[in-house]
Structures are given as C-alpha cells and as structure tokens.
Amino acid sequence: MTPDTRVSSRHVGMALLALATGGFAIGTTEFVTMGLLPQIADGVHISIPAAGHIVAAYAIGVVAGAPVIAALGARTGRKRLLLGLMAVFVLGNVLSAVATSYELLMAARFLTGLPHGAFFGISAVVGASLVPVNRRAWAVSMIMVGLPIANIIGVPATTLIGQQLGWQLPFLLVGGLGLLTLVAVYFWVAPQPVGSDVNVRSELSALARPQVWMALLVGMVGFGGMFATYSYITPTMTELAGFTPAAVTIVLAVYGVGMTGGTLVGGRLADRALMPSLYGGLVAVTVVLGTFGWLAQSKPGALVGVFAMGFSASILIPALQTRLMDVAHEGQSLAASLNHSTLNVANALGAWLGSVVLAAGYGYEWPSRVGAALAVAGLVLALVSGLMDRRSNRVVG
C-alpha cells in the first residue's frame, strides 16, 4: 500500500466515521423517548398514552421528511445538504429539551424526525461514492452501524441519565452529538459537486421504476415481520421467558449486539452477492421468527432468539440500501431516503398485526409467527424482483 493510498483510506474512514456518528445520534434520539415516556408524561402533564403520540410525531416526521428533502434538495451539494439536515436535527433536539407543553414537544419531535431518512439516504450515497464499486455495501454498513450501536450504548445510557437527572438532559446531549457530527462532516467529508443532470425531476424519476417499488415493498413487508415481534419484546420476555422488568435492558442490549453484527456481516455479503444475500437474509428472518415463540419459553433460549432476530434482520439493511441505489439510477438520493420511510411504515404495520393477534386472545409467542409469515411474503417479493431482473437482462441481451 502506497502512502497516497493510506492517506486516501484514512480520509474515507474519517468520513464514514463522521456519518456513522450522525447515525448514532439519530438512533439514540429515536429510541430514548420510548424509555422515558413516564418521565416525559409527568414533565408536560399528560398521560402515558398521550405521550406515545410524541413517538408517533417523530415517525411521521421521518416518513414525510425523507422523500421531500431528498427530492427538493437535489440541486444542493450533498455535503451542504448533510450539514443542513444535521443543523435541523440539533435544533429539534434542543427544542425538545426546552419544551414546556405537549404541543411544543410534539412539534419539536416532528421537526427532529424530518432529517432522519434523508440523512441516512444521502449518507449512503456519499459513502458508496467514496469506495470502489465492489465495496459499496460495506461502506453503507459502516454508516448504518451507528443505529445498532445506539441501541447498545446510547439509548441505555441516555435513558438512565433521563431517569436520574431529568428527561430534558438526554435531548440536550443528543443535540451535542448532532453538533459534533456537523463539525466532523464539515472537516472530514469532501464536497461532492452536483452534476448538471441532477435535479428534482431526475430524483423523482426513481418513482417511475418498478424495481424501486419492489425493493421498498421487500423492506416494508420483510421488516414488518421483525417489528411484529420487537414491538412486544418487553412483555414477551417477562411473560414467556420469565425475565424481570429490570433485566429487559440486558435483553435489548443483546438485540443491539445482534444488530451490529448483522449490519457488518450484511455489508460484506452484499458486496459479494447482493441478491443472494437478500434472499438468504429473508430466509434467516423467517426461520428465526418461526422458532422464536418456542425459544422464548426459557431465558437462555430467549437470549439466543433475540440475538438471532437482531442479527438476521440487520443483514438485510446494507443489501436493501445498495439495491435501491442500483435500481434507482438517477434518483439514488430519493430512493435511498425512502428506504427509511418504508422501515417506519414497517414498524407501524408489524406493531398493528402483532396487536391484532394479541387482542384475539393469542399468547405472546404468536406475534413472531405472524412475523415469520410476513418475512415469507418479503422473500416472495424479493424472488419476483430477481426474476424481473433476469427477464430484463434477457431482453437487453
């Protein structure tokens, strides 16, 4: 390796670290709210169910912000857009910390959610552009790994701080992380000139491509299966496995470790064989969710199942993100950003289907079985997408 290559590799690593830090901050602010709902409810004088609407406000911000920002920001340089997104993220968290009313807090969380999907989507495009073609998924996985690490370190730490020192402080701390990300992106991510052919119309052209919609559907349905289980992980662990409520924090950390491993492995697998890694990931999710209800009958089995669920689902993330960039052609930023909107839809879909079977009187082992069925549906969609590729290649050939 020449000195120039070492310098180049170091610069790429620092740029990916800057973007991953943003992912860590975003993952922390997204999930810490759930751990502090009782404290937030007391702080703004509302009920806990009403405080749950604050979580929904963030999710709505993610779904609404990703496509709009990615499309309207098409003519803005990607580095400049990333800096602007992180500035909005910092502002949203600061406003969350100083909010004294339910209405202001709702608005602040919606604002905080707006940059979420666009930041990850544009970061993925930037990261992929920094490395050779055969390492794109690896670069994406390096950026995305900030999310699961947030579940291991950021969320438990800020939840504890919020419980001990007030629910406002975690939002200020995350705002500080966002400011650190802004500085790191400014110094470590090189400017990327916008091509003359990139505009709102070119980004929106991604929506006219059937394969973009197929990839989004695969993510929405496949991840819906995982969320059908994860949404009810706390009562599942206490009711089936016999963990105490306090021990659930350890279970969630195990899930985060699985997510981290799956994201890193998924990036390498996707670089070697993109579509096969997508198929294999969905098969793994199906098997894990299909057996999860049985595994969760004991504490050791539950820990194995939780780790495997996080690992298998996260294998899909780099593959799906890279697949979207491949099939979107001129509309990469929009398509990559939409991936995070659909994952939030998957969250809502999975949680709703899980609630349906629980409301019907089935036990906590059943949401995972519904999730396995969704993963099978995602696999079918992925296989159909692969067949569409083959047919298109034969026509071109």
Side-chain angles (χ1 to χ4, degrees), residues 347-394:
N347 192 341
L349 172 67
W352 174 70
L353 288 175
S355 71
V356 169
V357 296
L358 291 173
Y362 293 93
Y364 283 107
E365 66 270 23
W366 275 94
S368 59
R369 293 167 185 169
V370 172
L374 285 174
V376 170
L379 176 60
V380 171
L381 288 169
L383 291 170
V384 170
S385 180
L387 289 174
M388 290 167 63
D389 269 350
R390 293 183 183 180
R391 182 175 297 178
S392 176
N393 291 337
R394 283 199 298 268

Side-chain angles (χ1 to χ4, degrees), residues 273-336:
L274 180 58
M275 291 305 288
S277 72
L278 193 56
Y279 303 148
L282 286 164
V283 169
V285 172
T286 301
V287 172
V288 170
L289 293 181
T291 58
F292 187 81
W294 171 72
L295 288 170
Q297 302 289 333
S298 69
K299 291 179 181 178
L303 291 175
V304 170
V306 166
F307 175 87
M309 182 170 64
F311 188 93
S312 59
S314 296
I315 286 175
L316 300 172
I317 294 175
L320 276 172
Q321 195 78 71
T322 307
R323 171 69 173 169
L324 276 165
M325 291 189 292
D326 283 348
V327 298
H329 299 281
E330 300 87 359
Q332 288 190 11
S333 295
L334 175 60

